[in-house]
């Protein structure tokens, strides 16, 4: 949906609106759950196709080398999906930046694949050829988490450069109320989580919710 707000107050309201929408998509107890059309069988087939074919093709072709000196380092995709110095930096699951702030998807795969590519520039989907097969586990995790809905959202400073190759955890961890995969519970900001309710786990059986 197009945002028509202008000025600094409008920019802030736009970010709040985007953030609230993002929280609703990954809400905890009492939160909204996504409605999936076509029934579980159709959804499973579609996600399988996207996971195994379309996403690797899209991000694999668009990926540039992941090195220290990155933006949105730890978020899903490349370099916030922004233009820098007149060049498109790559595909990312972020909104268009407003006053150097964008809402970006984060998950257990993005938090581990980015650092792996710093260590292994020729790793799988790290942007360099030939690939050496390393970072495959982290890449497969990233693909899985995105298409099965195990991601959360953070408002990211798109102008903040990371030159360490280490994800700044407080900026990307999952806040209370965010949904995470059971194997990603260590990424909850508080370090605490609980199993999601029965209805929330329909289609996402490994869903946990970060706690206060």
């Amino acid at each position: 949906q197009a945002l028509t707000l202008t000025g600094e107050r409008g920019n802030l309201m736009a970010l709040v609106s985007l953030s609230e929408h993002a929280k609703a998509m990954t809400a905890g107890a009492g939160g909204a759950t996504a409605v999936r059309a076509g029934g579980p069988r159709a959804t499973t087939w579609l996600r399988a196709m996207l996971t195994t074919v379309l996403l690797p093709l899209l991000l694999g072709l668009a990926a540039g080398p992941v090195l220290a000196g990155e933006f949105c380092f730890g978020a899903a995709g490349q370099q916030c999906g922004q233009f820098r110095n007149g060049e498109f930096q790559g595909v990312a699951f972020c909104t268009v930046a407003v006053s150097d702030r964008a809402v970006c998807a984060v998950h257990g795969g993005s938090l581990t694949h980015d650092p792996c590519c710093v260590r292994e520039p020729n790793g799988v989907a790290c942007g360099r050829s030939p690939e050496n097969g390393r970072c495959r586990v982290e890449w497969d995790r990233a693909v899985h988490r995105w298409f099965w809905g195990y991601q959360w959202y953070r408002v990211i400073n798109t102008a903040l450069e990371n030159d360490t190759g280490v994800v700044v955890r407080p900026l990307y961890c999952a806040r209370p109320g965010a949904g995470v995969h059971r194997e990603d519970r260590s990424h909850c900001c508080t370090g605490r989580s609980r199993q999601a309710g029965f209805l929330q786990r329909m289609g996402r059986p490994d869903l946990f919710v970060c706690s206060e």
Side-chain angles (χ1 to χ4, degrees):
Q1 183 177 1
L3 297 173
T4 57
L5 300 170
T6 58
E8 289 302 317
R9 180 174 178 274
N11 290 342
L12 177 60
M13 291 176 65
L15 282 172
V16 169
S17 175
L18 289 168
S19 181
E20 289 302 315
H21 173 71
K23 286 192 292 184
M25 292 296 292
T26 55
T33 55
V35 177
R36 298 175 175 83
R41 184 172 299 176
T43 301
T44 299
W45 179 86
L46 176 61
R47 280 183 164 169
M49 286 294 295
L50 291 171
T51 299
T52 58
V53 180
L54 296 182
L55 183 65
L57 178 63
L58 176 65
L59 293 186
L61 291 176
V66 178
L67 304 171
E70 292 275 311
F71 297 87
C72 298
F73 189 76
Q78 286 274 324
Q79 301 275 29
C80 321
Q82 309 294 320
F83 282 86
R84 297 190 189 281
N85 300 321
E87 294 185 1
F88 182 56
Q89 299 298 305
V91 176
F93 297 99
C94 298
T95 62
V96 175
V98 179
S99 297
D100 292 331
R101 298 293 188 277
V103 178
C104 297
V106 185
H107 47 66
S110 65
L111 290 174
T112 54
H113 186 255
D114 280 0
C116 185
C117 287
V118 170
R119 299 189 303 271
E120 300 287 345
N122 288 84
V124 174
C126 291
R128 287 187 177 177
S129 297
E131 293 186 352
N132 58 20
R134 296 172 182 170
C135 302
R136 166 64 68 185
V137 171
E138 292 80 3
W139 174 245
D140 288 347
R141 181 186 299 127
V143 173
H144 174 273
R145 297 299 190 264
W146 175 255
F147 274 104
W148 290 99
Y150 293 109
Q151 71 273 343
W152 59 93
Y153 296 86
R154 295 294 304 261
V155 176
I156 305 298
N157 182 348
T158 60
L160 182 62
E161 185 175 6
N162 183 315
D163 59 3
T164 67
V166 178
V167 175
V168 181
R169 187 177 186 277
L171 300 181
Y172 294 89
C173 60
R175 290 179 170 174
V180 299
H181 189 276
R182 69 166 59 245
E183 295 177 359
D184 297 338
R185 287 175 287 173
S186 62
H187 298 305
C188 291
C189 296
T190 62
R192 295 184 293 274
S193 62
R194 58 175 177 75
Q195 189 175 39
F198 174 77
L199 292 179
Q200 290 176 297
R201 285 185 284 114
M202 292 183 66
R204 293 186 293 173
D206 293 312
L207 184 66
F208 275 66
V209 178
C210 296
S211 306
E212 295 283 354

